[in-house]
Amino acid sequence: MAEGLVDLRSDTVTRPTPGMRRAMAEAEVGDDVYAEDPTVRALEERTAELFGHEAALFVPSGTMGNQIGMRLVCEPGQEVLCDADAHVVTYEMGAAAAVFGISTRTVVSDRGLLDADQLIAQVRPKGDWHLTSTAAVAVENTHNRGFGRVQPLGELQRLWDWSRGAGVAVHLDGARIWNAHVASGVPLETYGKLADTVSVCFSKGLGTPVGSVLVGSAERIATGRLWRKRLGGGMRQVGVLAAACLYALDHNLARLAEDHEHAQLLAKRLGVDPSSVETNMVVLDGVEAPLVAEAAKAKGVLVSQVSPSRIRLVTHLDVDRAGIDRAADVLAELLDR
């Protein structure tokens, strides 16, 4: 962060550490469009293994990973079912429809919490020419607009078990699956095996400058490689970026627990129920968000305005305990808490 600045807007604002920069500079590279970059291959193989899948594909962004992942399990004219605040329908610019001709339908959830039966009840069957059939269900874990909520393993298992008999695929938007893993103790492989396709992001809590990985079966990932090229995501000596992701797995995964601890500290200092903070996000409700955000900025603390009356704070590796204490002091004074 800039000197004296505490930036809690998002965990995407992090900068590569000196160790990560060294790993990037020293990366062995090749032409990844020819599948000849050894560092990219190492990352793809490692990520596929972590999530219990056959293969993986390095992509520039989580949005590309999600959209290709959904296209691999849904044909044009079919639909993906998800909750109304899911990232894939809120923040990805209508890409499923605009790019792939995929319809999406949503159900309103309780702050992003997965209710398998609620989704199952809305699935439209294949074979009825009156209806747009449901080809896939998309689940987000942790949930962004659910403010870091971890999806219950039992609900994920229930959805997966049902989907096997129903012929409906499951796509997991795992942009912050690392946080879910650290907070819940559920192995990454367990999460991975409850979905047909999984997109995981390295540029949020893990602190890399760019990059996501899509995992799935070998056949699907081979097709996904074609879609990546069509979308302009074929990259050349991109091992310099994959090296950052490998470094993050080695050095920044376990430390997410520190971010979660910092979120708890903020919650307690600012009068937020700590039980509502499951990972690295804290929500301040019932505040004059624009006024508070501007006043905090003037004191060197950046926060995210989610709505006129709601502020979001996100902890990450670029804000240490001293920064958390300073942010808490500033916000507590402004909010009179």
Side-chain angles (χ1 to χ4, degrees):
M1 298 294 101
E3 185 177 355
L5 186 67
V6 180
D7 193 341
L8 296 174
R9 291 174 299 170
S10 175
D11 47 10
T12 61
V13 302
T14 56
R15 300 176 185 181
T17 62
M20 183 178 288
R21 289 177 184 270
R22 283 193 298 272
M24 295 170 71
E26 296 168 3
E28 185 180 359
V29 299
D31 192 325
D32 187 49
V33 173
Y34 287 106
E36 293 177 354
D37 191 303
T39 307
V40 172
R41 289 204 306 269
L43 174 64
E44 290 172 342
E45 291 169 4
R46 183 172 177 183
T47 308
E49 182 178 4
L50 281 173
F51 287 91
H53 280 258
E54 293 178 333
L57 180 67
F58 185 57
V59 294
S61 70
T63 292
M64 185 179 286
N66 276 332
Q67 294 301 321
I68 294 176
M70 292 192 297
R71 177 60 183 87
L72 293 176
V73 294
C74 187
E75 294 294 323
Q78 295 181 316
E79 73 174 12
V80 172
L81 186 66
C82 61
D83 82 89
D85 280 326
H87 193 282
V88 296
V89 293
T90 305
Y91 296 120
E92 299 185 11
M93 308 307 294
V99 178
F100 293 127
I102 292 173
S103 178
T104 53
R105 192 158 51 90
T106 62
V107 297
V108 176
S109 66
D110 175 16
R111 202 166 64 92
L113 183 66
L114 173 63
D115 181 334
D117 288 335
Q118 181 188 34
L119 284 171
I120 291 168
Q122 294 300 317
V123 168
R124 290 171 174 162
K126 298 175 183 177
D128 186 337
W129 59 270
H130 293 283
L131 301 175
T132 301
S133 63
T134 306
V137 175
V139 178
E140 187 176 337
N141 192 21
T142 66
H143 199 289
N144 184 353
R145 288 180 63 83
F147 306 112
R149 174 163 259 178
V150 179
Q151 302 296 1
L153 182 60
E155 292 299 304
L156 292 167
Q157 186 72 57
R158 163 91 174 107
L159 180 64
W160 177 253
D161 291 344
W162 167 85
S163 72
R164 298 308 86 184
V168 174
V170 176
H171 172 70
L172 173 60
D173 174 0
R176 292 183 175 88
I177 194 69
W178 320 105
N179 295 87
H181 159 65
V182 169
S184 68
V186 174
L188 294 170
E189 183 176 6
T190 298
Y191 282 135
K193 288 188 172 180
L194 297 179
D196 295 282
T197 53
V198 185
S199 177
V200 300
C201 188
F202 288 85
S203 61
K204 294 184 170 66
L206 294 189
T208 73
V210 64
S212 289
V213 171
L214 176 66
V215 302
S217 69
E219 181 179 6
R220 285 193 172 112
I221 293 303
T223 303
R225 191 171 295 275
L226 299 176
W227 279 115
R228 185 185 69 175
K229 188 69 164 64
R230 289 188 181 113
L231 296 174
M235 299 173 285
R236 302 296 180 176
Q237 289 72 29
V238 75
V240 293
L241 297 179
C245 300
L246 288 167
Y247 181 93
L249 288 174
D250 290 334
H251 298 277
N252 294 346
L253 179 54
R255 66 147 307 282
L256 290 174
E258 182 180 336
D259 296 339
H260 299 171
E261 179 184 350
H262 287 166
Q264 288 289 319
L265 291 171
L266 281 173
K268 292 171 184 176
R269 286 287 308 277
L270 300 175
V272 175
D273 181 2
S275 68
S276 70
V277 178
E278 298 185 29
T279 52
N280 66 324
M281 299 186 188
V282 180
V283 178
L284 305 176
D285 276 319
V287 300
E288 294 287 342
L291 297 178
V292 172
E294 283 302 312
K297 182 178 180 180
K299 294 177 177 290
V301 176
L302 301 182
V303 299
S304 179
Q305 301 178 54
V306 180
S307 77
S309 61
R310 176 176 286 175
I311 281 175
R312 186 187 73 169
L313 314 174
V314 185
T315 58
H316 51 80
L317 63 84
D318 275 11
V319 179
D320 59 14
R321 174 61 185 270
I324 293 296
D325 287 339
R326 181 174 170 218
D329 289 341
V330 168
L331 291 168
E333 181 182 1
L334 292 175
L335 298 170
D336 194 25
R337 296 185 179 182

